[in-house]
Amino acid sequence: MHIRSARVPGLQFLALLAFLTALSAKSEELFCAHCMRNAWLATTDAKGGRQYAPSREIDIKHLILDVIPDFNRSSIEGTATLRWSPIAKPLTQLRLDAVDLRVQSVTSSEPIQAWQSTDTQIEITFSSPVAADKAAEVVIRYSATPRRGLYFRTPAEGYPAADSHLWTQGEPTEARHWFPSFDAPNEKFTSEVICHVPSDMVALSNGKQLSSELDANTGLRSFRWLQDKPHVNYLIALAAGHLKGIEEKYRDIPLALYTPASQIANARNTLAGTSDMMAFFEKEIGVAYPWDKYYQVAVADYHWGGMENTTLTILNDATLYPDGFETLRSSESLVAHELAHQWFGDLVTCKDWSHLWLNEGFATYYDALYRGSKHGPDELLYIMYQSAKGIVAVPDDRLPIVHRGFSSPEEQFSFRAYPKGSWILHMLRHQLGEDLYRKCVQTYVERHKFGVVETEDLVRVIEELSGRSFDAFFDQYVYHAQQPDLRITYEWLEKEKLAKVSVTQNQPTSPEVLLFQIPVKFRFGGKAGTVDREWTLKDKSAEFYAALSEKPDWVRFDPEFSVLAKVSFDLPFPLVAAQLANGSDLIGRLEAIAQLARKKDSASVELLKKVLLNDSFYGARIEASKALRQIDTPDARLALQSGLAQGDARVRAQVLNDVTRPYREESLGQALRTLGQEKNPDILASAIRSLGSYSRPQTRDFLLAFLATNSYRAVLSDAAVVAMRQQADPSYIPPLLAAVTSNQTSWPTASVGAALEALASLGRLQEAKAEVRDYLSTFLDAPQDRLQMAAIRALGQLGDPAALPALEKFIDLPKTSRVRQTADAALTELRTQRKPGVDLGDVRDQVLSLQQENKDLKRDLETLKKKVEALAAPADSPSSTNAASKPKSAPRSRPPVPTR
């Protein structure tokens, strides 16, 4: 589902970061809604008792929601009709989840003795118990100004009137904030949503549209949607407002993508490929798409990347993009992930949040399978390689995938549910074989469709169809923590013609982490061909021998990349070189690149240069670039320079980053040449950010020009703000103040927030802080909570004690409020009066200022200055596409990320 801003310290976030990198280049903005939401919480032991699915005292048959949103007041009037029957025994009191709903009336088909509405529930007491299995109905009239669950994007919230809209978010437990419900995933029912909106708006919901009628008396148009197949409460969705859509079909299934009205021109790139994905999933899963339609709607400042509501996925509008970004932006991974959820999560749903991986692991893996199918098997391997690197990098992880010791469901949306859950399926697919694996998945889905599942439901199907026991596999990888940490050594015994491999498990064992029993497969290759040998590792260490006709040229552990493990397997240079030369073995090449990155010799650099220039797969070229940057010798730098002319924008961006990261005169020169030659906005932004290390009059001119340059979602202005902050020069404060003031409604929300924090960082360096403090304080009442929190963080960073009274007003908010938590952190920072340390950039600038600039660089600067001045002039590019705001949803190292 979704990734929010990363707050994970150090290495704990590497698992998430690698997983994000494995997705599209912009995936950190685009993860599905629950995709690791609050994942930082899940990296430590949860506090609190064990969590279980709630008891189902009633069987809900059907829910009707009839709502009238008020776009001026950000509120709704609603009527909820619940049809239900008691299960097993008579029911005297019905309790429904309802947070801060103002209930006007409660009526029922059964006589009511009394009802009451608390802050969290509606309790209805019947005059006499309702008999088991008796059909009953309750009707609740209410109103609400939701703080969660339903979000307005209107002028009152700081958004353009022409794009006014609302959207909902249910998972895991937000639905209760906008309608009364049994808000847990172990109950399924059919649903109906009726929404009354102004006549020039549209309303979208689950299922099929039954009607669209204009009421002449009220002037409102009523949209009626029916989801006639059962689904869970958190999947009920509504999006309404000034939305426009484009449509197509897959077989007889309507497909559509809606966006805020001003962004419809950028919808086609995101919708493209949806039909192909649906065809692939039907074939791969073996179960036809089970719903009436598949609509997607991109909305402003969605908190995560996307959410797989049944038949109506809600997406972050940051996934929309125009042409010109090449391979650096793509909605493919996000759309595939959310579409896969229509089977895994919607049709078959985890019974409780401890088994969340059955939703998220499947969606993550089937996204990867689709991309492997479309782009080739190396794409799948590269995705799994990157996610495995992140998983094994998490230090001392003590929580299993299936975990009940969480305090809140949000803690479960971590790397364990997503990439690690995906790896569970990847290993099963290899152990079972592709055909039997598909049969198991098809049986699992068909057997439990429209129902709820636990992990054991999947295990039972696999064991039934394979005849094999998977107790050890699931016990080790799913019900206990971590994965094997293997140290492998290889030796050739010439006299006996034996290859000897020694394998040791180094993970510290405990009640949470087991000693693993896993298959260990080795492949030995040479002039005579390849030989595979497979053994089972059961003990802490073991030695294995393979009889071969001759000494192998290369040795590979886990050649099919089918075991999740941390592996240390260093080999002599000749074997690494031979492994790198194998064009049919991507993982072997990637592992060889990783070994060469730790060397400083010219032979290693030459091999990596060949990969950078010639390897057929973009991912290998990316990793070779990173390796050369890590080596950072004169030869390695020259090799990187030779690889700048890359056709694939992903590789070009990586090489440019690796060339310009070191603080050198030639790095500045390359950044400037890039600004004069490159067309891709994201690569231009990377070059702009690199200017932040160089405090020169010329670079200042460029940064000011780019700050004022029109670009899609302010990508170039964003980069200029980052560079200005890095230069630690308070003279940038006036132009930044002017830019934020004039672009507050046209820049994405995250861009405005980043600029506020940049102002604070620069303001901290000057004695007189009042101007910046007063300006930041004007955002404390911003209708967008993200701007509010950015201003709070900025005031904490400014280091001005005079800001304390303004921040202290937030301590009256509930402790669970994100705004309150942000204010607490800012107050702590202010009260400790942290003082800025020595800025290394200043020191390096002094060194560089002593160097003589070469004549070519001066000429490049003057030429580029003229080009940038031309770019900054009024252009025809539509600024209206910048109107919707961009949320911080994941780590923004490149521009916190799959989606939910």
Side-chain angles (χ1 to χ4, degrees):
M1 195 164 134
H2 39 264
I3 282 192
R4 195 186 291 185
S5 298
R7 290 172 283 181
V8 184
L11 289 175
Q12 290 183 343
F13 190 67
L14 286 179
L16 309 187
L17 182 59
F19 181 46
L20 289 167
T21 307
L23 301 178
S24 64
K26 287 289 179 178
S27 62
E28 58 267 42
E29 298 173 333
L30 305 178
F31 259 114
C32 75
H34 38 285
C35 189
M36 303 179 212
R37 199 169 58 161
N38 283 347
W40 62 285
L41 291 172
T43 58
T44 57
D45 288 339
K47 297 178 181 179
R50 294 174 66 80
Q51 305 290 330
Y52 301 96
S55 296
R56 294 174 57 241
E57 295 182 323
I58 65 171
D59 179 18
I60 300 174
K61 308 293 186 182
H62 188 65
L63 173 66
I64 304 173
L65 296 177
D66 190 330
V67 297
I68 305 173
D70 187 330
F71 286 86
N72 295 319
R73 294 180 174 84
S74 299
S75 62
I76 61 166
E77 298 284 337
T79 301
T81 303
L82 197 66
R83 295 169 184 163
W84 54 279
S85 300
I87 299 174
K89 62 181 182 179
L91 183 78
T92 300
Q93 190 173 67
L94 174 64
R95 294 181 179 87
L96 297 173
D97 298 305
V99 176
D100 295 333
L101 301 186
R102 299 182 294 273
V103 179
Q104 281 89 47
S105 67
V106 178
T107 58
S108 173
S109 61
E110 300 297 312
I112 295 176
Q113 176 178 315
W115 64 267
Q116 65 171 332
S117 176
T118 70
D119 290 342
T120 60
Q121 283 191 327
I122 297 172
E123 298 177 354
I124 305 168
T125 304
F126 298 100
S127 300
S128 58
V130 182
D133 300 325
K134 183 178 182 180
E137 181 177 281
V138 167
V139 180
I140 301 168
R141 290 183 59 250
Y142 66 97
S143 62
T145 306
R147 289 181 297 171
R148 299 181 66 185
L150 188 148
Y151 300 86
F152 286 87
R153 298 294 183 247
T154 66
E157 278 76 36
Y159 299 89
D163 282 346
S164 290
H165 60 284
L166 64 82
W167 49 267
T168 63
Q169 170 58 36
E171 190 180 50
T173 55
E174 289 194 38
R176 62 188 68 185
H177 291 262
W178 72 280
F179 65 89
S181 55
F182 179 83
D183 201 8
N186 61 326
E187 171 73 7
K188 289 196 171 186
F189 48 87
T190 57
S191 64
E192 199 168 343
V193 174
I194 305 156
C195 184
H196 311 268
V197 293
S199 59
D200 58 344
M201 290 184 172
V202 298
L204 308 171
S205 190
N206 313 93
K208 54 191 174 186
Q209 183 175 318
L210 298 183
S211 63
S212 170
E213 298 176 350
L214 182 64
D215 187 327
N217 295 323
T218 64
L220 299 179
R221 183 172 293 278
S222 301
F223 291 85
R224 189 183 194 100
W225 293 87
L226 172 66
Q227 175 54 49
D228 60 1
K229 297 171 184 147
H231 62 158
V232 297
N233 194 73
Y234 73 75
L235 294 172
I236 293 175
L238 174 65
H242 292 308
L243 304 171
K244 291 187 177 180
I246 56 174
E247 298 183 357
E248 60 182 47
K249 277 194 172 185
Y250 168 71
R251 293 192 284 103
D252 60 344
I253 299 169
L255 308 179
L257 175 65
Y258 282 78
T259 75
S262 68
Q263 300 193 62
I264 190 62
N266 295 318
R268 183 60 59 185
N269 285 334
T270 296
L271 182 62
T274 305
S275 295
D276 186 55
M277 294 173 194
M278 193 168 282
F280 171 80
F281 288 141
E282 286 192 333
K283 181 178 179 182
E284 179 66 28
I285 300 168
V287 177
Y289 181 75
W291 314 104
D292 292 309
K293 73 172 191 300
Y294 187 63
Y295 282 14
Q296 300 169 87
V297 55
V299 299
D301 274 358
Y302 185 63
H303 295 161
W304 304 281
M307 176 64 210
E308 68 279 6
N309 310 297
T310 316
T311 77
L312 182 65
T313 285
I314 293 179
L315 302 173
N316 190 316
D317 67 347
T319 194
L320 305 172
Y321 63 97
D323 295 334
F325 287 89
E326 303 171 88
T327 52
L328 283 181
R329 296 208 182 200
S330 173
S331 300
E332 183 177 89
S333 177
L334 173 64
V335 173
H337 181 105
E338 304 301 342
L339 179 56
H341 266 310
Q342 298 296 313
W343 285 267
F344 306 109
D346 293 10
L347 182 60
V348 177
T349 311
C350 65
K351 178 183 175 183
D352 63 72
W353 302 116
S354 68
H355 297 277
L356 179 65
W357 82 276
L358 295 173
N359 293 8
E360 298 304 338
F362 269 95
T364 302
Y365 189 52
Y366 278 73
D367 158 30
L369 287 176
Y370 170 73
R371 286 189 283 157
S373 171
K374 182 175 181 181
H375 303 293
D378 280 354
E379 183 76 11
L380 172 62
L381 289 172
Y382 192 44
I383 293 168
M384 303 311 295
Y385 174 80
Q386 290 176 300
S387 65
K389 280 177 63 179
I391 294 165
V392 303
V394 178
D396 198 29
D397 178 36
R398 295 283 168 173
L399 300 183
I401 291 177
V402 175
H403 170 59
R404 295 192 179 276
F406 55 89
S407 298
S408 64
E410 283 87 348
E411 296 170 29
Q412 289 296 93
F413 293 91
S414 75
F415 73 92
R416 299 178 195 89
Y418 291 79
K420 192 170 183 181
S422 173
W423 255 98
I424 298 302
L425 299 173
H426 186 64
M427 291 189 286
L428 287 171
R429 188 165 174 256
H430 279 272
Q431 292 190 27
L432 293 167
E434 291 186 15
D435 291 341
L436 180 55
Y437 170 82
R438 287 193 188 98
K439 184 179 179 181
C440 289
V441 171
Q442 179 182 9
T443 303
Y444 164 76
V445 173
E446 289 179 336
R447 184 174 295 178
H448 298 288
K449 62 184 178 182
F450 305 115
V452 296
V453 288
E454 299 174 301
T455 300
E456 286 306 306
D457 293 312
L458 176 64
V459 176
R460 275 189 287 270
V461 170
I462 292 172
E463 292 189 336
E464 174 187 322
L465 297 183
S466 70
R468 296 163 52 188
S469 171
F470 279 81
D471 286 348
F473 176 85
F474 280 89
D475 190 36
Q476 294 168 157
Y477 276 105
V478 178
Y479 294 112
H480 285 83
Q482 295 190 24
Q483 52 282 321
D485 182 349
L486 305 179
R487 176 172 177 78
I488 303 174
T489 59
Y490 158 77
E491 181 182 359
W492 173 250
L493 306 178
E494 176 63 34
K495 185 176 181 180
E496 297 92 340
K497 298 292 184 183
L498 291 175
K500 174 187 175 183
V501 288
S502 302
V503 185
T504 301
Q505 297 192 55
N506 287 326
Q507 72 275 9
T509 57
S510 67
E512 296 88 9
V513 182
L514 301 180
L515 197 66
F516 282 73
Q517 298 181 28
I518 57 170
V520 287
K521 185 174 183 178
F522 287 85
R523 179 167 294 165
F524 307 91
K527 299 180 183 62
T530 61
V531 175
D532 288 353
R533 292 287 185 269
E534 184 170 342
W535 302 278
T536 299
L537 177 65
K538 297 181 179 180
D539 303 314
K540 181 172 179 59
S541 61
E543 295 178 349
F544 305 103
Y545 296 87
L548 304 174
S549 60
E550 60 181 6
K551 181 180 180 181
D553 293 331
W554 48 265
V555 180
R556 286 274 285 109
F557 167 70
D558 188 23
E560 294 165 352
F561 203 48
S562 60
V563 175
L564 176 61
K566 182 177 182 180
V567 178
S568 173
F569 186 18
D570 291 331
L571 291 164
F573 182 83
L575 274 70
V576 174
Q579 186 171 312
L580 191 65
N582 189 346
S584 63
D585 181 8
L586 173 65
I587 298 299
R589 301 202 302 282
L590 296 178
E591 291 176 350
I593 289 169
Q595 291 203 35
L596 294 174
R598 297 191 288 270
K599 303 178 184 297
K600 297 284 184 179
D601 57 279
S602 58
S604 297
V605 169
E606 189 60 31
L607 287 178
L608 291 169
K609 179 181 177 180
K610 289 180 180 178
V611 175
L612 179 61
L613 297 179
N614 302 315
D615 200 281
S616 60
F617 186 68
Y618 77 93
R621 301 199 299 277
I622 285 175
E623 300 303 321
S625 180
K626 294 177 183 177
L628 288 166
R629 166 69 184 94
Q630 182 177 331
I631 292 172
D632 197 31
T633 61
D635 284 347
R637 294 193 287 273
L638 286 174
L640 276 173
Q641 286 283 348
S642 70
L644 280 163
Q646 295 281 341
D648 191 308
R650 292 168 292 189
V651 188
R652 197 161 74 249
Q654 183 64 52
V655 177
L656 175 68
N657 179 69
D658 292 326
V659 166
T660 57
R661 272 176 71 189
Y663 189 81
R664 298 188 182 94
E665 197 71 36
E666 58 266 31
S667 299
L668 174 58
Q670 182 55 58
L672 294 171
R673 285 190 292 275
T674 299
L675 291 174
Q677 301 165 2
E678 182 63 57
K679 303 296 183 186
N680 190 302
D682 281 339
I683 298 180
L684 285 172
S686 178
I688 294 168
R689 285 191 292 271
S690 72
L691 298 182
S693 299
Y694 305 90
S695 295
R696 312 283 183 83
Q698 298 94 332
T699 56
R700 178 185 175 85
D701 291 341
F702 295 145
L703 294 181
L704 291 175
F706 280 117
L707 182 67
T709 299
N710 231 341
S711 58
Y712 183 68
R713 298 190 70 84
V715 61
L716 301 183
S717 301
D718 255 352
V721 169
V722 171
M724 289 176 178
R725 180 173 181 172
Q726 187 178 355
Q727 289 207 347
D729 181 355
S731 69
Y732 281 114
I733 290 175
L736 263 178
L737 284 169
V740 175
T741 301
S742 61
N743 293 289
Q744 185 176 340
T745 59
S746 61
W747 280 359
T749 306
S751 299
V752 178
L756 296 182
E757 295 191 53
L759 282 168
S761 180
L762 297 174
R764 187 183 183 94
L765 302 175
Q766 58 183 11
E767 289 296 325
K769 297 179 172 61
E771 181 185 21
V772 173
R773 182 193 70 233
D774 292 344
Y775 186 75
L776 295 175
S777 297
T778 65
F779 288 87
L780 293 178
D781 295 322
Q784 301 105 313
D785 62 351
R786 291 172 181 238
L787 274 188
Q788 202 176 24
M789 289 188 291
I792 291 170
R793 284 192 299 270
L795 285 171
Q797 295 161 12
L798 182 62
D800 185 355
L804 284 169
L807 294 177
E808 286 171 346
K809 73 177 187 177
F810 294 101
I811 63 176
D812 292 333
L813 294 175
K815 290 184 178 180
T816 56
S817 163
R818 293 187 301 159
V819 175
R820 161 69 185 275
Q821 292 167 359
T822 305
D824 286 344
L827 286 165
T828 300
E829 185 170 6
L830 267 180
R831 287 166 179 157
T832 54
Q833 285 294 290
R834 298 174 184 169
K835 295 182 179 180
V838 176
D839 190 282
L840 293 179
D842 290 342
V843 177
R844 290 180 295 192
D845 286 337
Q846 293 174 28
V847 174
L848 269 185
S849 67
L850 300 176
Q851 298 179 355
Q852 182 179 2
E853 295 180 338
N854 62 61
K855 294 180 180 180
D856 290 339
L857 182 56
K858 288 182 178 179
R859 185 175 62 249
D860 289 344
L861 285 166
E862 290 303 318
T863 301
L864 184 59
K865 182 177 179 181
K866 295 176 182 177
K867 292 182 179 180
V868 173
E869 288 172 348
L871 280 173
D876 294 330
S877 55
S879 59
S880 60
T881 58
N882 292 335
S885 301
K886 169 172 125 183
K888 286 185 180 178
S889 54
R892 296 190 62 203
S893 57
R894 186 169 56 242
V897 121
T899 63
R900 266 199 173 191

